[in-house]
Amino acid sequence: MPASALVLVVFAGLIHASWNIAAKKAGGDARFACFTALVMMVFWAPVGLWLGWRQLPSWGWDAWTLIVLSGVLHVVYYVVLLRGYRKADLTVVYPLARGSGPLLASLGAIVLLGEHISAWGWGGVLGVVLGVFLIAGGPGLLRRAHDVTQRRRIHAGLRYGLATGVLIASYTVVDGYAVKVMLLSPILVDYFGNFVRLVFLLPPLLRDRPAARRLWGLQWKYALLVGIVSPVSYVLVLYAVQVAPLSHVAPAREVSMLFAALLGGHLLGEGDRVGRFLGAALIGVGVMALAHG
């Protein structure tokens, strides 16, 4: 992985961890996702429309098909993730999703995009996945399975976590193909994909406008932060994909879990500090192995 791509991914990981903490503090649902999408649409309009004015006329049906597919996958991913949080523990769903997603994305890039990954690269992927598992609680997750109620929640978490991971891998491969093969602008892929997301997110919000106004009054600070900052992290990743193999960039994105752990485990709860430290170290080593692999 070129040094420029590594810098983009690490910086994107720091931003990703920061806005996820803000989103977690907001305690919102799909309506919060709609707020952030609206903020993104308005705040980034000058950049999106300026680039779109120059590049959109050259887009064909294949480019727009990728944009629509990307937007749909992002929405389904978010809905499945939120449902998983309602049915199971975040400490099971989130790390399994973030751990399986990069692994599956790397496999997809190798199969569908013809990329190659060395033994060092595979070692880096496994290091990242194991690090995510340790940050989530490691073997402690398995010990909780002795209780019947907890076992059901863990099984539900495994199902929803893996489904979310598949969706993460899917939109990662689709977006990677768009910017790497179709050579679409990463900014436009994310910005116009956001309009597709709004098609699904806006109608439920408008059906109960008084409730939406109340929620906005409580969450507007977090919505502004996430809507403005979150696109930056993903666009940086897409730019990294243009200069580095997707099979390396996808797992390296999980450096955000390292930052989340170092910031106190706000995303996943405090948990075992030693385990989180070891997990963060494994992610760091895994990312460096990917950089050299």
Side-chain angles (χ1 to χ4, degrees):
M1 183 189 301
S4 59
L6 180 61
V7 170
L8 290 174
V9 170
V10 171
F11 189 46
L14 178 58
I15 297 174
H16 186 272
S18 300
W19 75 253
N20 268 275
I21 290 173
K24 175 68 175 173
K25 287 183 176 180
D29 52 17
R31 290 170 294 186
F32 178 76
C34 188
F35 291 152
T36 61
L38 289 170
V39 171
M40 175 186 171
M41 177 187 69
V42 174
F43 183 86
W44 292 105
V47 177
L49 297 178
W50 178 69
L51 289 176
W53 180 264
R54 302 174 60 183
Q55 298 185 30
L56 292 186
S58 64
W59 282 15
W61 66 269
D62 49 352
W64 284 110
T65 299
L66 286 174
I67 294 297
V68 172
L69 180 58
S70 172
V72 171
L73 286 172
H74 277 275
V75 169
V76 176
Y77 146 76
Y78 193 72
V79 171
V80 171
L81 181 65
L82 289 177
R83 184 170 297 177
Y85 288 165
R86 292 196 300 269
K87 300 289 186 180
D89 295 336
L90 181 144
T91 49
V92 178
V93 177
Y94 184 82
L96 182 58
R98 301 310 306 183
S100 62
L103 179 61
L104 295 172
S106 296
L107 293 174
I110 293 170
V111 174
L112 300 176
L113 302 182
E115 293 186 357
H116 301 280
I117 188 168
S118 67
W120 273 104
W122 278 118
V125 172
L126 294 177
V128 169
V129 172
L130 182 58
V132 170
F133 174 69
L134 288 176
I135 288 177
L141 292 176
L142 302 179
R143 288 195 296 268
R144 286 159 44 197
H146 292 298
D147 180 80
V148 175
T149 302
Q150 283 296 326
R151 188 184 307 125
R152 290 175 180 172
R153 291 185 63 83
I154 289 175
H155 288 169
L158 293 175
R159 292 193 300 271
Y160 281 103
L162 184 57
T164 305
V166 170
L167 290 164
I168 290 174
S170 299
Y171 75 65
T172 300
V173 172
V174 168
D175 293 348
Y177 183 87
V179 302
K180 199 175 187 68
V181 179
M182 298 290 294
L183 301 179
L184 302 183
S185 165
I187 294 175
L188 293 182
V189 168
D190 191 49
Y191 185 74
F192 282 93
N194 185 57
F195 284 98
V196 179
R197 298 192 284 271
L198 278 172
V199 169
F200 295 93
L201 294 172
L202 196 55
L205 187 75
L206 295 178
R207 279 198 291 267
D208 191 351
R209 297 184 185 184
R213 284 193 291 268
R214 288 194 299 271
L215 285 174
W216 174 257
L218 296 172
Q219 300 173 344
W220 68 270
K221 292 181 181 179
Y222 298 112
L224 287 178
L225 177 62
V226 175
I228 293 171
V229 173
S230 63
V232 178
S233 63
Y234 193 56
V235 167
L236 289 177
V237 168
L238 293 181
Y239 272 114
V241 169
Q242 288 188 322
V243 298
L246 177 61
S247 55
H248 289 195
V249 173
R253 282 189 67 196
E254 300 317 304
V255 72
S256 63
M257 293 288 290
L258 183 154
F259 290 121
L262 295 179
L263 289 171
H266 292 286
L267 283 178
L268 301 175
E270 287 301 319
D272 176 32
R273 292 187 177 183
V274 175
R276 287 198 289 112
F277 176 79
L278 291 176
L282 275 172
I283 292 175
V285 172
V287 170
M288 295 307 299
L290 286 164
H292 291 287

